[in-house]
Amino acid sequence: MNKLVSWSAEDEAVAGTNTDATECKLGAVQLGYWADPYVRLFARRAERRAPEINRGYYARVRAVEMFIHQFLERCDSKCQIINLGCGFDTLFWRLRDVTQAVGNFIELDFPTVTAKKCQIIKRNKQLLEKIANEDGEVACRVGELHADGYHLAGCDLRDGGGVRRALAACGARADAPTLVLAECVLVYLREDAAAALLQLLACAFPKQLLLIYEQCNLDDKFGEVMIRNLSLRGCSAVGERGRLGVAAAVERLRAAGYGGARGWDMAAVWRALPDDERARVERLEPLDEQELLHQLHQHYALTVASQGDLFADIDLNA
Ligand SMILES: C[S@@+](CC[C@H](N)C(=O)[O-])C[C@H]1O[C@@H](n2cnc3c(N)ncnc32)[C@H](O)[C@@H]1O
């Protein structure tokens, strides 16, 4: 396991955001927003959130799926997925149920988080059976799990050397088509640390699609409330990255060395979802004030960046 740069109360609070995300996802899954048979294994309880929040989670999960689908369609050989700040995300298991195209799935998070994820996986046959190879082999060390095609390792994303070592230990290959996923993660890093991580990744994987989902446009009243609430919980870095608009977030990806980059706020993503899907989700729970959803969507963005030709044409409406 990699050493942490230094473990602070803020890191503890940031790691805790994973619990919220998992419990909120379980709440939305139980209401029928999307199907995920695995999330209940990671959450102690379901958190019931307001309808606009549930719709926001749905839009994010669905949009990430849409981009992963495009990524897999373009892969010319076995690909790899690197899930940064993976928390208790269940993407590996959901994908395993529908495709064998992912040759290696790598998950990185703080060691405290990966250790808990490791324990949960080891306790649950339903999770473990999708990971073990034919001989049932799974290597578990403190906070880490290594199997054929699935690796979970602890590291601090602010420590470039640690990230490189973790990727190498997880069998990451520079020549493989690579999807790097960062959902609600980079926003918890200081701007210079996030920029250094993006530069490292842009260099390391020349056939790459990067997908980032996180807060944006926080430089207004709505944003101030969100930043204050997160600061009160101990997560103070959010204000640094989250204040940028979508265009600036895209520019930041180009500055990190990515060949192509584009992005949308979640209001645009929501409009791009198929009409019948939106209609189904809108029937699940009444939402009297549509403005609440629009406001929320304006403060989250999906940005994508590509390295090499393979993924250069990936787009929201493709
Ligand atoms: C809001 S959760 C999101 C989890 C997951 N990506 C999802 O969408 O459900 C943020 C995650 O990023 C991780 N994280 C934040 N900063 C990190 C860092 N410096 N090193 C490793 N992990 C970090 C946290 O521990 C947490 O699990």
Side-chain angles (χ1 to χ4, degrees), residues 4-5 7 10-22 25 57 60-61 83-90 94 107-114 117 153-159 163 181-190 193 197 213 215 233:
L4 293 176
V5 174
W7 184 247
E10 172 149 13
D11 296 340
E12 186 82 47
V14 167
T17 61
N18 167 53
T19 308
D20 287 354
T22 312
K25 284 181 189 171
Y57 268 101
R60 152 191 177 178
V61 170
N83 194 1
L84 301 173
C86 59
F88 290 172
D89 195 5
T90 58
R94 287 182 282 127
E107 303 212 275
L108 303 181
D109 206 302
F110 282 130
T112 51
V113 176
T114 58
K117 189 166 192 171
C155 73
D156 187 332
L157 296 172
R158 295 164 296 190
D159 169 18
V163 171
L181 189 61
E183 275 187 76
C184 286
V185 174
L186 302 183
V187 78
Y188 294 108
L189 271 53
R190 301 275 165 208
L197 177 63
Y213 170 87
Q215 289 90 334
R233 289 185 48 176

Side-chain angles (χ1 to χ4, degrees), residues 12 16 43 61 93 120 124 133 144 149 154 183 186 197 221 249 267 276-277 290 299 302 315:
E12 186 82 47
V61 170
W93 292 270
I120 294 170
N124 281 289
N133 62 19
E144 298 204 353
E183 275 187 76
L186 302 183
L197 177 63
K221 275 237 159 63
D276 56 338
E277 283 191 29
Q290 292 296 324
H299 292 87
L302 196 65
D315 207 342

